[in-house]
Amino acid sequence: MSQPATKVLVIGYVWPEPRSSAASGHVMQILETFLAQGWDITFSSPAGPGEHKVDLSALGIREVPIELNNSSFDTFIRDLAPDIVLFDQFMMEEQFGWRVEKHCPDALRVLETSDLQSLRHARHQRQKDRLKINDDQDDFSDLFAPALREEFELMADTDLAKREIAALYRCDLNLMISEVEIDLLVSQFGLPRQLLHWCPLMIESPTAAFRPFEERAHFLSIGNFRHAPNWDAVLWMKTTIWPLIRQQLPQAQLHIYGAYTPPKATALHNAAQGFHIMNWAEDALQVMSAARVCLAPLRFGAGIKGKLVDAMLCGTPSVTTPIGAEGMHGDLPWPGAVTQTASDFANNAVQLYTDEVRWQSSQLAGTVLLNERYPISIHGPALIKKLINYQLNLKQLRSSNFIGNMLRHHSHKSTQYMAQWIEAKNRNIAPDSDT
């Protein structure tokens, strides 16, 4: 008699939009890995559907909207009785973790982090502070080379870090997209390594021939405009980097694509300067394949960058910063250039655009990098193996995570009462203090 399929509930911060963000793309890769196992998947979110939401039901995944601070979720999860609950971003663990523990205590609780948000926010604040005391728009090397201890000290006193790290402790396993973030959490925050699993973007290497150098034109930048690092990169290109490129290539064109284009971005469009705001790309890989060089001048951020993996998938060399390349290439050469100043960024962009030999060498480096670090054929089975092993040893794993147990005891009790108070307030009744 065959065993029933493993039931997985994914609680998403938003409904997946893989053509709008790398975070959603990573969630879809995980879902596809589960589907390949024949697992029974339900996806829920308290968010409304976005403009570019993927049709999960077409893939055989049930879609169930849920509400914050509403006991209807209790009935829903009791009836579903999942074996694994995957929280997409730590805020979903904060909201629903206590309900999952109460009604499905034996379910494996997994957090998909996308990136370490407290690290990204702390770096953003460091950049703001830097700009207040130094208006130099060229050299940002002081932002790009902090030791892990400096990163910890930047984060440790923030409320966001305390909330996020607590959620990591409360879960049985956390999927980390960046090895740098794993090192930071283990060496500085003291998280047990067994709570963390490296799960980068998972891809199938391209098999078709790339479009050749002579058939490509223009520079390209791409990224969701709602994501603060992407918007900052656009501003740095507009004010500093792009004028330097145009000094050397007066006819150069930059095409900037991104979902949810705000008016402030549209206002930057200037055809005379070759600076084109193109809005959302229906097919990101198609426009990436037509470009000659991808630009990603990120001054802050965390995780790893989906746009740069897409560039490699399309055979498009890229120029980025140490923030953009962080956690992405290990000891392998970058498929393009990694720079710390606007002038070096512009010079390398121009050289890649005009030097076919260097361009082809960078393209090859991208293919090597994809094959070495991102194959789904390696990371998919490793994820499934880890989840199954943790299910089988759940009691032992939880007993060895005293800090997580302690945080669940205190945090979940307070979160539970707050949620019940909000629900009661919404219904204009007093909460039952005995529940």
Side-chain angles (χ1 to χ4, degrees), residues 47-101:
E51 185 178 339
H52 309 299
K53 172 186 171 296
V54 72
D55 184 3
L56 295 174
S57 61
L59 301 174
I61 299 172
R62 282 184 299 278
E63 299 182 0
V64 181
I66 52 178
E67 294 184 45
L68 298 173
N69 305 308
N70 194 308
S71 56
S72 60
F73 180 85
D74 302 346
T75 303
F76 161 65
I77 196 167
R78 274 199 307 265
D79 293 343
L80 184 64
D83 303 297
I84 300 172
V85 176
L86 177 71
F87 303 102
D88 172 30
Q89 301 194 30
F90 80 91
M91 296 83 80
M92 293 299 94
E93 189 279 335
E94 285 185 325
Q95 288 286 343
F96 296 99
W98 70 271
R99 295 185 187 273
V100 171
E101 181 173 23

Side-chain angles (χ1 to χ4, degrees), residues 4-261:
T6 296
K7 285 187 179 180
V8 181
L9 170 63
V10 181
I11 303 177
Y13 182 68
V14 296
W15 296 94
E17 295 189 14
R19 293 184 296 173
S20 298
S21 74
S24 282
H26 192 231
V27 169
M28 290 304 302
Q29 291 163 3
I30 293 170
L31 292 176
E32 289 162 3
T33 299
F34 293 168
L35 287 171
Q37 290 295 118
W39 288 1
D40 184 316
I41 307 171
T42 300
F43 194 103
S44 295
S45 177
E51 185 178 339
H52 309 299
K53 172 186 171 296
V54 72
D55 184 3
L56 295 174
S57 61
L59 301 174
I61 299 172
R62 282 184 299 278
E63 299 182 0
V64 181
I66 52 178
E67 294 184 45
L68 298 173
N69 305 308
N70 194 308
S71 56
S72 60
F73 180 85
D74 302 346
T75 303
F76 161 65
I77 196 167
R78 274 199 307 265
D79 293 343
L80 184 64
D83 303 297
I84 300 172
V85 176
L86 177 71
F87 303 102
D88 172 30
Q89 301 194 30
F90 80 91
M91 296 83 80
M92 293 299 94
E93 189 279 335
E94 285 185 325
Q95 288 286 343
F96 296 99
W98 70 271
R99 295 185 187 273
V100 171
E101 181 173 23
K102 181 177 181 180
H103 299 291
C104 296
D106 296 327
L108 182 71
R109 297 185 291 269
V110 183
L111 175 59
E112 202 285 301
T113 61
S114 295
D115 66 5
L116 203 55
Q117 293 187 38
S118 51
L119 175 61
R120 168 161 44 90
H121 282 258
R123 286 174 167 174
H124 192 183
Q125 186 59 51
R126 179 171 60 199
Q127 187 215 9
K128 291 177 182 177
D129 294 341
R130 146 68 166 79
L131 291 174
K132 287 178 182 177
I133 62 174
N134 185 349
D135 60 1
D136 174 26
Q137 288 291 321
D138 179 59
D139 188 353
F140 285 86
S141 56
D142 54 328
L143 298 182
F144 297 145
L148 290 181
R149 187 64 190 177
E150 292 178 58
E151 301 280 32
F152 169 78
E153 291 173 353
L154 196 67
M155 299 165 63
D157 288 336
T158 66
D159 289 343
L160 187 60
K162 292 168 186 174
R163 290 172 54 201
E164 188 170 26
I165 303 302
L168 297 175
Y169 267 111
R170 287 193 298 263
C171 288
D172 301 310
L173 183 66
N174 300 279
L175 308 185
M176 305 301 302
I177 204 167
S178 167
E179 292 170 305
V180 172
E181 293 175 7
I182 292 177
D183 290 343
L184 174 64
L185 291 169
V186 173
S187 67
Q188 303 302 316
F189 287 93
L191 265 80
R193 190 170 285 273
Q194 71 178 28
L195 291 179
L196 309 173
H197 176 73
W198 182 45
C199 183
L201 297 177
M202 302 182 287
I203 55 91
E204 294 182 2
S205 295
T207 55
F210 296 131
R211 185 177 297 189
F213 177 87
E214 63 273 9
E215 293 182 13
R216 295 176 181 241
H218 311 315
F219 293 94
L220 176 137
S221 184
I222 192 166
N224 191 324
F225 283 107
R226 288 180 176 174
H227 193 51
N230 293 337
W231 173 239
D232 177 75
V234 171
L235 292 178
W236 196 26
M237 282 191 289
K238 176 69 174 181
T239 60
T240 308
I241 294 172
W242 187 243
L244 294 174
I245 292 174
R246 288 274 288 193
Q247 285 177 11
Q248 300 183 60
L249 297 175
Q251 302 306 312
Q253 305 287 310
L254 171 61
H255 294 171
I256 301 175
Y257 292 87
Y260 301 104
T261 311

Side-chain angles (χ1 to χ4, degrees), residues 243-320:
L244 294 174
I245 292 174
R246 288 274 288 193
Q247 285 177 11
Q248 300 183 60
L249 297 175
Q251 302 306 312
Q253 305 287 310
L254 171 61
H255 294 171
I256 301 175
Y257 292 87
Y260 301 104
T261 311
K264 64 181 181 180
T266 305
L268 299 180
H269 180 88
N270 189 318
Q273 297 174 354
F275 198 89
H276 300 269
I277 303 296
M278 308 294 289
N279 298 315
W280 183 63
E282 181 73 28
D283 187 335
L285 296 183
Q286 182 180 45
V287 297
M288 184 70 79
S289 295
R292 188 174 289 179
V293 177
C294 173
L295 305 182
L298 296 158
R299 292 188 285 190
F300 66 94
I304 62 177
K305 313 306 178 291
K307 62 176 72 64
L308 296 175
V309 170
D310 285 350
M312 295 180 230
L313 283 168
C314 297
T316 306
S318 60
V319 185
T320 190

